[in-house]
Amino acid sequence: MNDPTPDSAPDTGRPVPPGPFAGTGTGGSGVERLAAVVERLRRRLDAQESAAATQGLLDVAKGILVERGVDGPAEAARHLEELAARAGLPTAELAADIVNESAHDALSRAVPAPDTGGADRAATPVSVRLRIAEAGALSGTDAQTVAQSLLVHALEPLGATAAAVWQADQDGSLTLAGSAGFPAAEAVRWRYVPPRVGTLAQQALLSGRTLWHGAPPASAASIGLSGSGSGARALIPAQRAGRTVGVLEVCWPEPGTPLPRAVHRQLTALAGLCAHTLGGTGSAAPDGGEPVRADSAARLGGLAEGLLDPALVLQPLLDDQGRICDFRITYTNEHFTDFAGRPRADITGRPLLEAYPLAAADGGLYERALRVHTTGEPFRTERTVLPAAAEGTAPHPTAALGIGRYGDALLVSWRTHNEATRLAALVEHTQRLGRIGGFEETPATGEVIWNSQLFDIYGLPPDSAPIPLERLRHHAHPDDADIIGRFLREVLHQRGSASTAFRLLRPDGVVRYIRVVAEPAAGPEGGPMTVHGAYQDVSAQHWTEVALAATRNQLADSEQRADERDLLALQLQRAIMPAAPAPIDASGLQVAVRYRPAEKGHLVGGDWYDAVVLPSKQVLLVVGDIAGHGIDAATGMVVLRNALRGLAATGAGPGRMLGWLNTVAHRLTEHVTATVVCGLYDPSTRVVRWARAGHPPPVLVRGARSTVLPLPAGILLGAVAEASYAEETVVLEPGDTLLLYTDGLLERRDRTVNQSLEQLLRDAGPPTGDLEEDLDRLLTHSNSDTDDDTCIIGFRLR
């Protein structure tokens, strides 16, 4: 049956009430007419649902006829009417018989034979009632619809007045998935039953069989029970695929005799309908079956009831194509207030757009709820205008709004506010962040008012008596008594504004640094003076200033000690390694050195060199580099330099000396590591024997050509306990120049070591007649930018 147009619908004359939300609609009579039409359609919905359930039964019967060969739905409908007329039966009754004959299910087995109604007190045959109840239940989307359909079409004809559909969770708890015939407050109270409470439904759940209570005992617990005056109860486990997924609870108003077998079969079949719905929503088996989630809307109802703000629970409604077309208001908490005065029961269970049509406005509540349900992301805004049921019937309050998703349901909560509350909240927030507490005092009467933040500053419980200004010195450090006295004289006696800082001694033993500001004001019409003021906890600022002062002192001391260490390291380095040492002339070998220390004093390094004529008339040629900077590098350089001089007196070769020096670095020093090139020049043969410990290779300049000498194997000093070092030899010819250097000559940030070495070979030749000038040229062209020491030692054979 098609709905009438809005203009033809009857008008009750009742004003259309606004909702709890005030919207952004454009106003006008068109919007008001829309809200009125929605209200009228609501009143017709119940009748249409009953007709739809009957039509659903007829559609099933027509489908069976089409399956049996009738040509199309239209022909099946005509054929069904002809058969009913010939049999002298109502069309619905014949349709029920056709479905029963074809289905052979629990509902068909529950029909008495012959169908006289059994113990029923209704004129409508049992088969028709059961099938219409089935059609109404299957057309719904949740257990609430199932409960209402079962009560209206199947249970009321049996004399029942209420029904509850319980959904079982895996832990034995029960959720009220749907109910009909109970007061709204009772359904709210029983929305969730924890495990092992022992309600009648839980007893049926654990036993797995139907329980009948002709007169429930006074100790029994369940929805709608009011003690010894309660009527009969039937509790039927709802099973699906061999699992108990819930319980159907049916209530009669009066005590009853044992349940007739025919009625028992009907109730069992109806419980199967409930199981179908519960199984579809994912209920759980209490016997340890597959775990699934409980009804999210019911769980959200429990959460909403614990909120101090108004709240709604919404569940999506789907169209024929499975798309969300609206949300059903499945729960409203006790703080919910409809501005039009409608009770919670009148709002609960209705679609959102039916109860509040203006929620469909662009950017309104419906659009935001749909976005949260689709994305799962919570929505929150501190200020919004909420949609109402009709424009122009109530003021439009602003509110802070929040929407969150839990499972398939939404929790919507809001907090209305006006400008005064917003400003008060802003002031409170500012005082909390700034640790500021305000007060007002009338000295003549002794009346003192503190805000909550001031109790926290003083470390007092909120129910403590505020402390007047005259007793301020009793809570301050004794050394601050004078400054507090001057402050009180200025405020209380001279009646002027004043401020001061003092140390507050709290009852918990904590000392806080407080700044207090006070301003007297004359009372109205010559009344007593009132003092307004504020305390601010500035302890953090005070201790920050103290810490900064201590840090400055400590930093200055650290800088002074660091400067002293750097100066000592530099003095030690310069004492042993002068930047421009005197020329050395030994055994026809001209020796020159150039040493450039680091530009920054705190980067004093460990570069060192040595050229000594030994008792054997051989010349010791050495260049080394200690890892690190500062005093440790300088002292390590002294240790290795002097140790190598002593080892050279043994007459051992360069490789053997470096092996011994490695032992000194590894075992006899504090983690010193170094690179070294050590050579021995024999004037009689002009042969240079040399070895290296991880150091860059020497460079030989012969005529106009510069070459890098081969690299013998050798690890840096101090890396391992035992190491051996290979040797190489080179025969010097008159005019040859042998260059030893540290890595400070090569290292640059903008090029590799190989590139710097190639540049060194280009700069090294051809030599001039003065070795000192050649080394100055190399040092000038090195352009090192790594803040490291640089040392070059040149040996030229005349």
PDB file of all heavy atoms in Angstrom, residues 272-297:
ATOM      1  N   GLY A 272      13.624 -20.013  17.756  1.00  0.00           N
ATOM      2  CA  GLY A 272      14.480 -20.211  16.594  1.00  0.00           C
ATOM      3  C   GLY A 272      14.574 -18.978  15.727  1.00  0.00           C
ATOM      4  O   GLY A 272      15.628 -18.677  15.151  1.00  0.00           O
ATOM      5  N   LEU A 273      13.443 -18.235  15.583  1.00  0.00           N
ATOM      6  CA  LEU A 273      13.499 -16.961  14.859  1.00  0.00           C
ATOM      7  C   LEU A 273      14.464 -15.981  15.529  1.00  0.00           C
ATOM      8  O   LEU A 273      15.232 -15.288  14.871  1.00  0.00           O
ATOM      9  CB  LEU A 273      12.102 -16.342  14.776  1.00  0.00           C
ATOM     10  CG  LEU A 273      11.077 -17.029  13.867  1.00  0.00           C
ATOM     11  CD1 LEU A 273       9.748 -16.296  13.945  1.00  0.00           C
ATOM     12  CD2 LEU A 273      11.579 -17.072  12.440  1.00  0.00           C
ATOM     13  N   CYS A 274      14.395 -15.930  16.847  1.00  0.00           N
ATOM     14  CA  CYS A 274      15.320 -15.044  17.586  1.00  0.00           C
ATOM     15  C   CYS A 274      16.766 -15.465  17.359  1.00  0.00           C
ATOM     16  O   CYS A 274      17.663 -14.619  17.180  1.00  0.00           O
ATOM     17  CB  CYS A 274      14.996 -15.067  19.075  1.00  0.00           C
ATOM     18  SG  CYS A 274      13.328 -14.509  19.471  1.00  0.00           S
ATOM     19  N   ALA A 275      17.015 -16.781  17.373  1.00  0.00           N
ATOM     20  CA  ALA A 275      18.377 -17.273  17.170  1.00  0.00           C
ATOM     21  C   ALA A 275      18.908 -16.856  15.812  1.00  0.00           C
ATOM     22  O   ALA A 275      20.096 -16.536  15.661  1.00  0.00           O
ATOM     23  CB  ALA A 275      18.408 -18.798  17.317  1.00  0.00           C
ATOM     24  N   HIS A 276      18.011 -16.858  14.807  1.00  0.00           N
ATOM     25  CA  HIS A 276      18.446 -16.438  13.476  1.00  0.00           C
ATOM     26  C   HIS A 276      18.957 -15.000  13.493  1.00  0.00           C
ATOM     27  O   HIS A 276      20.003 -14.678  12.920  1.00  0.00           O
ATOM     28  CB  HIS A 276      17.289 -16.575  12.489  1.00  0.00           C
ATOM     29  CG  HIS A 276      17.626 -16.088  11.112  1.00  0.00           C
ATOM     30  ND1 HIS A 276      18.311 -16.861  10.209  1.00  0.00           N
ATOM     31  CD2 HIS A 276      17.381 -14.897  10.497  1.00  0.00           C
ATOM     32  CE1 HIS A 276      18.482 -16.179   9.085  1.00  0.00           C
ATOM     33  NE2 HIS A 276      17.912 -14.979   9.238  1.00  0.00           N
ATOM     34  N   THR A 277      18.256 -14.118  14.174  1.00  0.00           N
ATOM     35  CA  THR A 277      18.685 -12.719  14.258  1.00  0.00           C
ATOM     36  C   THR A 277      19.942 -12.568  15.106  1.00  0.00           C
ATOM     37  O   THR A 277      20.880 -11.857  14.740  1.00  0.00           O
ATOM     38  CB  THR A 277      17.552 -11.864  14.846  1.00  0.00           C
ATOM     39  OG1 THR A 277      16.391 -12.013  14.036  1.00  0.00           O
ATOM     40  CG2 THR A 277      17.957 -10.398  14.894  1.00  0.00           C
ATOM     41  N   LEU A 278      19.963 -13.248  16.254  1.00  0.00           N
ATOM     42  CA  LEU A 278      21.135 -13.143  17.124  1.00  0.00           C
ATOM     43  C   LEU A 278      22.360 -13.711  16.454  1.00  0.00           C
ATOM     44  O   LEU A 278      23.456 -13.164  16.550  1.00  0.00           O
ATOM     45  CB  LEU A 278      20.872 -13.863  18.443  1.00  0.00           C
ATOM     46  CG  LEU A 278      19.778 -13.275  19.328  1.00  0.00           C
ATOM     47  CD1 LEU A 278      19.583 -14.139  20.564  1.00  0.00           C
ATOM     48  CD2 LEU A 278      20.120 -11.850  19.726  1.00  0.00           C
ATOM     49  N   GLY A 279      22.207 -14.826  15.769  1.00  0.00           N
ATOM     50  CA  GLY A 279      23.350 -15.407  15.060  1.00  0.00           C
ATOM     51  C   GLY A 279      23.864 -14.476  13.991  1.00  0.00           C
ATOM     52  O   GLY A 279      25.055 -14.401  13.732  1.00  0.00           O
ATOM     53  N   GLY A 280      22.945 -13.728  13.376  1.00  0.00           N
ATOM     54  CA  GLY A 280      23.370 -12.798  12.336  1.00  0.00           C
ATOM     55  C   GLY A 280      24.164 -11.635  12.862  1.00  0.00           C
ATOM     56  O   GLY A 280      24.972 -11.062  12.167  1.00  0.00           O
ATOM     57  N   THR A 281      23.940 -11.278  14.142  1.00  0.00           N
ATOM     58  CA  THR A 281      24.689 -10.153  14.709  1.00  0.00           C
ATOM     59  C   THR A 281      25.950 -10.602  15.409  1.00  0.00           C
ATOM     60  O   THR A 281      26.695  -9.799  15.924  1.00  0.00           O
ATOM     61  CB  THR A 281      23.814  -9.380  15.714  1.00  0.00           C
ATOM     62  OG1 THR A 281      23.403 -10.271  16.750  1.00  0.00           O
ATOM     63  CG2 THR A 281      22.590  -8.805  15.033  1.00  0.00           C
ATOM     64  N   GLY A 282      26.188 -11.898  15.467  1.00  0.00           N
ATOM     65  CA  GLY A 282      27.456 -12.357  16.010  1.00  0.00           C
ATOM     66  C   GLY A 282      27.439 -12.641  17.472  1.00  0.00           C
ATOM     67  O   GLY A 282      28.346 -12.307  18.192  1.00  0.00           O
ATOM     68  N   SER A 283      26.421 -13.274  18.006  1.00  0.00           N
ATOM     69  CA  SER A 283      26.410 -13.634  19.416  1.00  0.00           C
ATOM     70  C   SER A 283      27.333 -14.798  19.651  1.00  0.00           C
ATOM     71  O   SER A 283      27.831 -15.433  18.740  1.00  0.00           O
ATOM     72  CB  SER A 283      24.977 -13.982  19.850  1.00  0.00           C
ATOM     73  OG  SER A 283      24.487 -15.033  19.061  1.00  0.00           O
ATOM     74  N   ALA A 284      27.579 -15.129  20.930  1.00  0.00           N
ATOM     75  CA  ALA A 284      28.569 -16.145  21.263  1.00  0.00           C
ATOM     76  C   ALA A 284      27.931 -17.293  21.998  1.00  0.00           C
ATOM     77  O   ALA A 284      26.914 -17.171  22.653  1.00  0.00           O
ATOM     78  CB  ALA A 284      29.675 -15.534  22.116  1.00  0.00           C
ATOM     79  N   ALA A 285      28.563 -18.451  21.901  1.00  0.00           N
ATOM     80  CA  ALA A 285      28.088 -19.632  22.615  1.00  0.00           C
ATOM     81  C   ALA A 285      28.720 -19.692  23.981  1.00  0.00           C
ATOM     82  O   ALA A 285      29.932 -19.560  24.117  1.00  0.00           O
ATOM     83  CB  ALA A 285      28.430 -20.895  21.836  1.00  0.00           C
ATOM     84  N   PRO A 286      27.935 -19.888  25.051  1.00  0.00           N
ATOM     85  CA  PRO A 286      28.508 -19.909  26.385  1.00  0.00           C
ATOM     86  C   PRO A 286      29.281 -21.170  26.681  1.00  0.00           C
ATOM     87  O   PRO A 286      29.936 -21.253  27.695  1.00  0.00           O
ATOM     88  CB  PRO A 286      27.271 -19.798  27.290  1.00  0.00           C
ATOM     89  CG  PRO A 286      26.163 -20.364  26.474  1.00  0.00           C
ATOM     90  CD  PRO A 286      26.468 -20.018  25.050  1.00  0.00           C
ATOM     91  N   ASP A 287      29.237 -22.164  25.822  1.00  0.00           N
ATOM     92  CA  ASP A 287      29.922 -23.420  26.111  1.00  0.00           C
ATOM     93  C   ASP A 287      31.316 -23.455  25.518  1.00  0.00           C
ATOM     94  O   ASP A 287      31.890 -24.517  25.300  1.00  0.00           O
ATOM     95  CB  ASP A 287      29.098 -24.608  25.578  1.00  0.00           C
ATOM     96  CG  ASP A 287      28.810 -24.460  24.084  1.00  0.00           C
ATOM     97  OD1 ASP A 287      29.206 -23.422  23.511  1.00  0.00           O
ATOM     98  OD2 ASP A 287      28.208 -25.378  23.503  1.00  0.00           O
ATOM     99  N   GLY A 288      31.892 -22.298  25.227  1.00  0.00           N
ATOM    100  CA  GLY A 288      33.263 -22.261  24.734  1.00  0.00           C
ATOM    101  C   GLY A 288      33.370 -22.342  23.245  1.00  0.00           C
ATOM    102  O   GLY A 288      34.398 -22.706  22.706  1.00  0.00           O
ATOM    103  N   GLY A 289      32.287 -22.042  22.505  1.00  0.00           N
ATOM    104  CA  GLY A 289      32.332 -22.058  21.052  1.00  0.00           C
ATOM    105  C   GLY A 289      33.162 -20.910  20.516  1.00  0.00           C
ATOM    106  O   GLY A 289      33.901 -20.250  21.217  1.00  0.00           O
ATOM    107  N   GLU A 290      32.979 -20.682  19.242  1.00  0.00           N
ATOM    108  CA  GLU A 290      33.757 -19.637  18.573  1.00  0.00           C
ATOM    109  C   GLU A 290      33.451 -18.278  19.177  1.00  0.00           C
ATOM    110  O   GLU A 290      32.313 -17.849  19.225  1.00  0.00           O
ATOM    111  CB  GLU A 290      33.409 -19.628  17.083  1.00  0.00           C
ATOM    112  CG  GLU A 290      34.174 -18.568  16.307  1.00  0.00           C
ATOM    113  CD  GLU A 290      33.727 -18.528  14.868  1.00  0.00           C
ATOM    114  OE1 GLU A 290      32.857 -19.342  14.504  1.00  0.00           O
ATOM    115  OE2 GLU A 290      34.228 -17.684  14.124  1.00  0.00           O
ATOM    116  N   PRO A 291      34.467 -17.546  19.667  1.00  0.00           N
ATOM    117  CA  PRO A 291      34.208 -16.255  20.301  1.00  0.00           C
ATOM    118  C   PRO A 291      33.849 -15.205  19.271  1.00  0.00           C
ATOM    119  O   PRO A 291      34.480 -15.065  18.236  1.00  0.00           O
ATOM    120  CB  PRO A 291      35.553 -15.913  20.976  1.00  0.00           C
ATOM    121  CG  PRO A 291      36.563 -16.656  20.190  1.00  0.00           C
ATOM    122  CD  PRO A 291      35.885 -17.899  19.705  1.00  0.00           C
ATOM    123  N   VAL A 292      32.776 -14.444  19.566  1.00  0.00           N
ATOM    124  CA  VAL A 292      32.357 -13.339  18.731  1.00  0.00           C
ATOM    125  C   VAL A 292      31.940 -12.187  19.622  1.00  0.00           C
ATOM    126  O   VAL A 292      31.699 -12.357  20.802  1.00  0.00           O
ATOM    127  CB  VAL A 292      31.184 -13.757  17.813  1.00  0.00           C
ATOM    128  CG1 VAL A 292      31.669 -14.614  16.664  1.00  0.00           C
ATOM    129  CG2 VAL A 292      30.136 -14.525  18.583  1.00  0.00           C
ATOM    130  N   ARG A 293      31.822 -10.979  19.058  1.00  0.00           N
ATOM    131  CA  ARG A 293      31.568  -9.796  19.868  1.00  0.00           C
ATOM    132  C   ARG A 293      30.111  -9.711  20.303  1.00  0.00           C
ATOM    133  O   ARG A 293      29.214 -10.186  19.622  1.00  0.00           O
ATOM    134  CB  ARG A 293      31.950  -8.530  19.094  1.00  0.00           C
ATOM    135  CG  ARG A 293      31.094  -8.297  17.869  1.00  0.00           C
ATOM    136  CD  ARG A 293      31.478  -6.984  17.206  1.00  0.00           C
ATOM    137  NE  ARG A 293      30.729  -6.767  15.994  1.00  0.00           N
ATOM    138  CZ  ARG A 293      29.513  -6.259  15.947  1.00  0.00           C
ATOM    139  NH1 ARG A 293      28.906  -5.950  17.079  1.00  0.00           N
ATOM    140  NH2 ARG A 293      28.886  -6.090  14.804  1.00  0.00           N
ATOM    141  N   ALA A 294      29.849  -9.074  21.419  1.00  0.00           N
ATOM    142  CA  ALA A 294      28.492  -8.861  21.901  1.00  0.00           C
ATOM    143  C   ALA A 294      27.895  -7.647  21.223  1.00  0.00           C
ATOM    144  O   ALA A 294      28.538  -6.926  20.477  1.00  0.00           O
ATOM    145  CB  ALA A 294      28.494  -8.678  23.413  1.00  0.00           C
ATOM    146  N   ASP A 295      26.630  -7.424  21.479  1.00  0.00           N
ATOM    147  CA  ASP A 295      25.904  -6.342  20.826  1.00  0.00           C
ATOM    148  C   ASP A 295      26.516  -5.003  21.209  1.00  0.00           C
ATOM    149  O   ASP A 295      26.529  -4.608  22.374  1.00  0.00           O
ATOM    150  CB  ASP A 295      24.440  -6.400  21.246  1.00  0.00           C
ATOM    151  CG  ASP A 295      23.620  -5.360  20.503  1.00  0.00           C
ATOM    152  OD1 ASP A 295      23.226  -5.631  19.366  1.00  0.00           O
ATOM    153  OD2 ASP A 295      23.394  -4.295  21.096  1.00  0.00           O
ATOM    154  N   SER A 296      27.046  -4.299  20.219  1.00  0.00           N
ATOM    155  CA  SER A 296      27.770  -3.058  20.501  1.00  0.00           C
ATOM    156  C   SER A 296      26.846  -1.958  20.980  1.00  0.00           C
ATOM    157  O   SER A 296      27.225  -1.143  21.825  1.00  0.00           O
ATOM    158  CB  SER A 296      28.524  -2.610  19.247  1.00  0.00           C
ATOM    159  OG  SER A 296      27.636  -2.481  18.159  1.00  0.00           O
ATOM    160  N   ALA A 297      25.616  -1.908  20.459  1.00  0.00           N
ATOM    161  CA  ALA A 297      24.700  -0.852  20.888  1.00  0.00           C
ATOM    162  C   ALA A 297      24.333  -1.006  22.359  1.00  0.00           C
ATOM    163  O   ALA A 297      24.260  -0.031  23.104  1.00  0.00           O
ATOM    164  CB  ALA A 297      23.438  -0.876  20.024  1.00  0.00           C
TER     165      ALA A 297
END
